[in-house]
Amino acid sequence: MIAAIICIAIACYIIFYTITICLIDCDVELAFYEKFGKSIGHLKGKVVFITGASSGIGKHTALTLAKYGVKLVLAARRRNCLEEVRSQCITNSGGQLTVNDVLVLPMDMLDINSHQKQFDMALAHFGQIDILLNNAGRSQRAFWEMTHLTVDKELFELNVFSVVNLTRIAVNYFNSRGHGHVAVTSSLAGVVPIPYSGSYSGAKYAIHGYFNSLRIEKLRTNLKLAVTLLCPGPTYTEFLQHSFIEVPGKSYGISASTTDRRLTGERCGYLCAVALANETRESWMGIFPVLPFSYLSVYFPVITNWIVAIVTPQKMFKMRDGNEGIVTEVHTV
């Protein structure tokens, strides 16, 4: 009798969990924190340094944080875009932030030698930095065997090595304070490998290795360090248009359509802010069927292998980019 009750309870739990992840647009932990966790307002008065803040997820995360009175360092290459984002942040704050509370910091992540100077400038302005959010990066759409090695190197320089370098500068600063928080915008492509983005998936897997290693290394040390991996799925931003392809020096050049099945930039930015406020370790964001497929891939890899053997790479690509036929426009050398 007891065994039967346990089996029924387990079956009900599995059914409830399955239905839940098909209906929500983020992982269960993050959905819980959104409803019952710390409010984003918990970060009010703190300073968040965001790279890649001129557009996309970085911009929308900044706008969300500003609404709750969070002070910001907006870093990216395009000063004019950063100025626009700063203006929007101040307006969004409803009077909580002034011009001095949002620092515009023109910065090229590939200029590794400038990282320390840029970080020190932000530190001199605010006197403290509480969270570093590494958001700058580019995606990729390319055939694996046709990708020039130069593209791999350029993608890793931007998406991995520049991120690691700036994070090390931040961690050394946090060592002197005794506490801090580093976060990085990874991707569900760093959780589940995807076709036609081999270099990008490889870079995101590398990011997970670097940051998970950092988290474990700092356990039970004098540094109280939170490490957050943000993993969005398909999101409506300018990200797709500027993606790498197989050959160096060129971009994908195809914009996401408003009819695509994607998470909105606003929603993604909000969820990223919730994750930062609650210091999550890893947070997934995406709409059906991307999120359930990610759960299946991680927790039931054998079943996933059977599905992948049946589903064509083109269909997986369609699920990833949320539209019809775009795979046929992947460039060839």
Coordinates of all heavy atoms in Angstrom, one line a residue, residues 234-286:
P234 N 16.4 31.4 -27.6 CA 16.1 32.4 -28.6 C 15.5 33.6 -28.1 O 14.4 33.5 -27.4 CB 15.2 31.6 -29.6 CG 15.5 30.2 -29.4 CD 15.9 30.1 -27.9
T235 N 16.0 34.8 -28.3 CA 15.5 36.0 -27.8 C 15.5 37.1 -28.9 O 16.4 37.1 -29.7 CB 16.4 36.5 -26.6 OG1 16.5 35.5 -25.6 CG2 15.9 37.8 -26.0
Y236 N 14.5 37.9 -28.9 CA 14.3 38.9 -29.9 C 15.2 40.1 -29.6 O 14.9 41.0 -28.9 CB 12.9 39.3 -30.1 CG 12.7 40.3 -31.2 CD1 12.7 39.8 -32.5 CD2 12.5 41.6 -31.0 CE1 12.6 40.6 -33.6 CE2 12.3 42.5 -32.1 CZ 12.4 42.0 -33.4 OH 12.2 42.8 -34.5
T237 N 16.4 40.1 -30.2 CA 17.4 41.2 -30.1 C 18.1 41.4 -31.5 O 17.8 40.7 -32.5 CB 18.5 41.0 -29.0 OG1 19.3 39.9 -29.5 CG2 17.8 40.6 -27.7
E238 N 19.1 42.2 -31.5 CA 19.9 42.4 -32.8 C 21.0 41.3 -32.9 O 21.8 41.3 -33.8 CB 20.6 43.8 -32.7 CG 19.6 44.9 -32.7 CD 20.4 46.3 -32.5 OE1 21.6 46.3 -32.5 OE2 19.7 47.3 -32.3
F239 N 21.0 40.4 -31.9 CA 22.1 39.4 -31.8 C 22.3 38.6 -33.1 O 23.4 38.4 -33.5 CB 21.7 38.5 -30.6 CG 22.9 37.8 -30.0 CD1 24.0 38.4 -29.6 CD2 22.9 36.4 -29.8 CE1 25.1 37.8 -29.0 CE2 24.0 35.7 -29.3 CZ 25.1 36.4 -28.9
L240 N 21.2 38.2 -33.7 CA 21.2 37.3 -34.9 C 21.9 38.0 -36.0 O 22.8 37.4 -36.7 CB 19.8 36.8 -35.2 CG 19.7 35.9 -36.5 CD1 20.4 34.6 -36.2 CD2 18.2 35.7 -36.8
Q241 N 21.6 39.2 -36.3 CA 22.1 39.9 -37.4 C 23.6 40.0 -37.5 O 24.2 40.0 -38.5 CB 21.4 41.3 -37.5 CG 21.8 42.1 -38.7 CD 21.1 43.5 -38.8 OE1 20.4 43.8 -37.8 NE2 21.3 44.2 -39.8
H242 N 24.2 40.2 -36.3 CA 25.6 40.4 -36.2 C 26.4 39.1 -35.9 O 27.6 39.2 -35.6 CB 25.9 41.4 -35.1 CG 25.3 42.7 -35.3 ND1 25.6 43.6 -36.4 CD2 24.2 43.3 -34.6 CE1 24.8 44.7 -36.3 NE2 24.0 44.5 -35.3
S243 N 25.8 38.0 -36.1 CA 26.4 36.7 -35.8 C 27.6 36.4 -36.8 O 27.6 36.8 -38.0 CB 25.4 35.5 -36.0 OG 24.4 35.7 -35.0
F244 N 28.6 35.7 -36.3 CA 29.7 35.2 -37.2 C 29.1 34.2 -38.2 O 28.1 33.6 -37.9 CB 30.7 34.5 -36.3 CG 31.6 35.4 -35.5 CD1 31.4 35.6 -34.2 CD2 32.8 35.9 -36.1 CE1 32.2 36.4 -33.4 CE2 33.6 36.7 -35.3 CZ 33.4 37.0 -34.0
I245 N 29.8 34.1 -39.3 CA 29.5 33.0 -40.2 C 30.7 32.1 -40.4 O 31.6 32.1 -39.5 CB 28.9 33.5 -41.6 CG1 29.9 34.5 -42.2 CG2 27.6 34.1 -41.4 CD1 29.6 34.8 -43.6
E246 N 30.9 31.4 -41.5 CA 32.1 30.5 -41.7 C 33.4 31.3 -41.9 O 34.4 30.8 -41.6 CB 31.8 29.5 -42.8 CG 30.7 28.5 -42.6 CD 29.4 29.0 -43.2 OE1 29.3 30.2 -43.4 OE2 28.6 28.1 -43.6
V247 N 33.3 32.4 -42.6 CA 34.4 33.1 -43.0 C 34.6 34.4 -42.2 O 33.7 35.0 -41.7 CB 34.4 33.5 -44.5 CG1 34.4 32.3 -45.4 CG2 33.1 34.4 -44.8
P248 N 35.9 34.8 -41.9 CA 36.1 35.9 -41.1 C 35.8 37.2 -41.8 O 35.8 37.3 -43.0 CB 37.7 35.9 -40.8 CG 38.2 35.1 -42.0 CD 37.1 34.1 -42.3
G249 N 35.4 38.2 -41.0 CA 35.2 39.6 -41.5 C 33.8 39.8 -42.0 O 33.5 40.9 -42.5
K250 N 32.9 38.8 -41.9 CA 31.5 38.9 -42.4 C 30.5 38.6 -41.3 O 30.8 37.8 -40.4 CB 31.3 38.1 -43.6 CG 32.1 38.5 -44.8 CD 31.8 37.7 -46.1 CE 32.6 38.1 -47.3 NZ 32.2 37.3 -48.5
S251 N 29.3 39.1 -41.4 CA 28.3 38.8 -40.5 C 27.1 38.1 -41.2 O 26.9 38.2 -42.4 CB 27.8 40.1 -39.8 OG 28.8 40.7 -39.1
Y252 N 26.2 37.5 -40.4 CA 25.1 36.7 -40.9 C 24.1 37.6 -41.6 O 23.6 37.3 -42.7 CB 24.4 36.1 -39.7 CG 23.3 35.0 -40.1 CD1 23.6 34.0 -41.0 CD2 22.1 35.1 -39.5 CE1 22.7 33.1 -41.3 CE2 21.1 34.1 -39.8 CZ 21.4 33.1 -40.7 OH 20.5 32.2 -41.0
G253 N 23.9 38.8 -41.1 CA 23.1 39.8 -41.8 C 21.6 39.6 -41.9 O 20.9 40.3 -42.7
I254 N 21.1 38.6 -41.2 CA 19.6 38.3 -41.3 C 19.0 38.7 -39.9 O 19.5 38.2 -38.9 CB 19.4 36.9 -41.6 CG1 19.9 36.5 -43.0 CG2 17.9 36.6 -41.5 CD1 19.8 35.1 -43.4
S255 N 18.1 39.6 -39.9 CA 17.5 40.0 -38.6 C 16.4 39.0 -38.2 O 15.7 38.4 -39.0 CB 16.9 41.4 -38.8 OG 17.9 42.3 -39.2
A256 N 16.2 39.0 -36.9 CA 15.1 38.2 -36.4 C 13.8 38.9 -36.7 O 13.7 40.2 -36.7 CB 15.2 38.1 -34.8
S257 N 12.7 38.2 -36.9 CA 11.4 38.7 -37.3 C 10.6 38.7 -36.0 O 10.7 37.9 -35.1 CB 10.8 37.9 -38.4 OG 9.4 38.3 -38.5
T258 N 9.7 39.7 -36.0 CA 8.8 39.8 -34.8 C 7.8 38.6 -34.8 O 7.1 38.4 -33.8 CB 8.0 41.1 -34.9 OG1 7.3 41.2 -36.2 CG2 8.9 42.3 -34.7
T259 N 7.7 37.9 -35.9 CA 6.8 36.7 -35.9 C 7.5 35.4 -35.4 O 6.9 34.4 -35.3 CB 6.3 36.5 -37.3 OG1 7.4 36.3 -38.2 CG2 5.5 37.7 -37.8
D260 N 8.8 35.5 -35.2 CA 9.6 34.4 -34.7 C 9.1 34.0 -33.3 O 8.7 34.8 -32.5 CB 11.1 34.7 -34.7 CG 11.7 34.9 -36.1 OD1 11.0 34.6 -37.1 OD2 12.8 35.4 -36.1
R261 N 9.3 32.7 -33.0 CA 9.0 32.3 -31.6 C 10.2 32.5 -30.8 O 11.1 31.7 -30.7 CB 8.6 30.8 -31.6 CG 7.2 30.5 -32.2 CD 6.8 29.0 -32.0 NE 7.0 28.6 -30.6 CZ 6.1 28.9 -29.7 NH1 5.0 29.6 -29.9 NH2 6.2 28.4 -28.4
R262 N 10.2 33.7 -30.1 CA 11.4 34.1 -29.3 C 10.9 34.7 -28.0 O 9.8 35.3 -28.0 CB 12.3 35.0 -30.0 CG 13.0 34.4 -31.2 CD 13.7 35.5 -32.0 NE 14.5 34.9 -33.1 CZ 15.8 34.5 -33.0 NH1 16.4 34.6 -31.9 NH2 16.4 34.0 -34.0
L263 N 11.7 34.7 -27.0 CA 11.5 35.5 -25.8 C 11.8 36.9 -26.1 O 12.7 37.2 -26.9 CB 12.5 35.0 -24.7 CG 12.2 35.3 -23.3 CD1 10.9 34.6 -22.8 CD2 13.4 34.9 -22.4
T264 N 11.0 37.8 -25.6 CA 11.2 39.2 -25.9 C 12.5 39.7 -25.1 O 12.8 39.2 -24.1 CB 10.0 40.1 -25.5 OG1 9.9 40.1 -24.1 CG2 8.8 39.7 -26.2
G265 N 13.1 40.7 -25.6 CA 14.3 41.3 -25.0 C 13.9 41.8 -23.6 O 14.7 41.7 -22.6
E266 N 12.7 42.4 -23.5 CA 12.3 43.0 -22.2 C 12.1 41.9 -21.1 O 12.6 42.1 -20.0 CB 11.0 43.7 -22.4 CG 11.1 45.0 -23.2 CD 11.0 44.8 -24.7 OE1 11.0 43.6 -25.1 OE2 11.0 45.8 -25.5
R267 N 11.5 40.8 -21.6 CA 11.3 39.7 -20.6 C 12.6 39.1 -20.2 O 12.8 38.8 -19.0 CB 10.3 38.7 -21.3 CG 10.1 37.4 -20.4 CD 9.4 37.7 -19.1 NE 9.1 36.5 -18.4 CZ 8.8 36.4 -17.1 NH1 8.6 37.6 -16.4 NH2 8.5 35.3 -16.5
C268 N 13.5 38.9 -21.2 CA 14.8 38.3 -20.9 C 15.6 39.1 -19.9 O 16.1 38.7 -18.9 CB 15.5 38.1 -22.2 SG 17.0 37.1 -21.9
G269 N 15.6 40.5 -20.1 CA 16.3 41.4 -19.3 C 15.7 41.3 -17.9 O 16.5 41.4 -16.9
Y270 N 14.4 41.3 -17.7 CA 13.8 41.2 -16.4 C 14.2 39.9 -15.7 O 14.5 39.9 -14.5 CB 12.2 41.2 -16.6 CG 11.5 41.0 -15.2 CD1 11.4 42.1 -14.4 CD2 11.0 39.8 -14.9 CE1 10.7 41.9 -13.1 CE2 10.3 39.6 -13.7 CZ 10.2 40.7 -12.8 OH 9.5 40.5 -11.6
L271 N 14.1 38.8 -16.4 CA 14.5 37.5 -15.8 C 16.0 37.5 -15.4 O 16.4 37.0 -14.3 CB 14.2 36.3 -16.7 CG 12.8 36.0 -17.0 CD1 12.6 35.0 -18.1 CD2 12.1 35.5 -15.7
C272 N 16.8 38.1 -16.2 CA 18.3 38.3 -15.8 C 18.4 39.1 -14.5 O 19.2 38.7 -13.6 CB 19.0 38.9 -16.9 SG 19.3 37.9 -18.4
A273 N 17.6 40.1 -14.4 CA 17.7 40.9 -13.2 C 17.2 40.1 -11.9 O 17.8 40.3 -10.9 CB 16.8 42.2 -13.3
V274 N 16.2 39.3 -12.1 CA 15.7 38.4 -11.0 C 16.8 37.5 -10.6 O 17.0 37.3 -9.4 CB 14.4 37.7 -11.5 CG1 14.1 36.6 -10.4 CG2 13.3 38.6 -11.7
A275 N 17.5 36.9 -11.6 CA 18.6 36.0 -11.3 C 19.7 36.7 -10.5 O 20.3 36.1 -9.6 CB 19.1 35.4 -12.6
L276 N 20.0 37.9 -10.9 CA 21.1 38.6 -10.2 C 20.7 38.9 -8.8 O 21.5 38.8 -7.9 CB 21.4 39.9 -11.0 CG 22.0 39.8 -12.4 CD1 22.2 41.2 -13.0 CD2 23.4 39.1 -12.3
A277 N 19.4 39.3 -8.6 CA 19.0 39.7 -7.3 C 19.0 38.5 -6.3 O 19.3 38.6 -5.1 CB 17.6 40.3 -7.3
N278 N 18.8 37.3 -6.9 CA 18.7 36.1 -6.1 C 20.0 35.2 -6.1 O 20.1 34.2 -5.6 CB 17.5 35.2 -6.5 CG 16.2 35.8 -6.1 OD1 15.8 35.7 -4.9 ND2 15.6 36.6 -7.0
E279 N 21.0 35.8 -6.8 CA 22.3 35.2 -6.9 C 22.2 33.7 -7.3 O 22.9 32.8 -6.7 CB 23.1 35.3 -5.6 CG 23.4 36.7 -5.2 CD 24.2 36.9 -4.0 OE1 24.4 35.9 -3.2 OE2 24.7 38.0 -3.7
T280 N 21.5 33.4 -8.4 CA 21.3 32.0 -8.8 C 22.7 31.6 -9.4 O 23.5 32.4 -9.8 CB 20.3 31.9 -9.9 OG1 20.6 32.7 -11.1 CG2 18.9 32.4 -9.4
R281 N 22.9 30.3 -9.4 CA 24.1 29.7 -10.0 C 24.0 29.6 -11.5 O 24.9 29.9 -12.3 CB 24.4 28.4 -9.4 CG 24.9 28.4 -8.0 CD 25.1 27.1 -7.4 NE 23.9 26.3 -7.3 CZ 23.8 25.1 -6.8 NH1 24.9 24.4 -6.5 NH2 22.6 24.4 -6.7
E282 N 22.8 29.1 -12.0 CA 22.6 28.9 -13.4 C 21.1 29.1 -13.7 O 20.3 28.4 -13.1 CB 23.1 27.6 -13.9 CG 23.0 27.4 -15.4 CD 23.7 26.1 -15.9 OE1 24.8 25.9 -15.5 OE2 23.0 25.3 -16.7
S283 N 20.8 30.0 -14.6 CA 19.4 30.3 -14.9 C 19.1 30.1 -16.4 O 19.8 30.7 -17.2 CB 19.0 31.7 -14.5 OG 19.0 31.8 -13.1
W284 N 18.0 29.3 -16.7 CA 17.7 29.1 -18.1 C 16.4 29.9 -18.5 O 15.5 30.1 -17.6 CB 17.3 27.6 -18.3 CG 18.4 26.7 -18.1 CD1 19.7 26.9 -17.7 CD2 18.3 25.2 -18.1 NE1 20.4 25.8 -17.5 CE2 19.5 24.7 -17.7 CE3 17.2 24.4 -18.3 CZ2 19.8 23.3 -17.6 CZ3 17.4 23.0 -18.2 CH2 18.7 22.5 -17.9
M285 N 16.4 30.5 -19.7 CA 15.3 31.3 -20.1 C 14.9 30.9 -21.6 O 15.8 30.8 -22.4 CB 15.6 32.8 -20.1 CG 16.1 33.2 -18.7 SD 17.3 34.6 -18.9 CE 18.3 34.3 -17.4
G286 N 13.7 30.6 -21.8 CA 13.3 30.3 -23.2 C 11.8 29.8 -23.2 O 11.3 29.3 -22.2

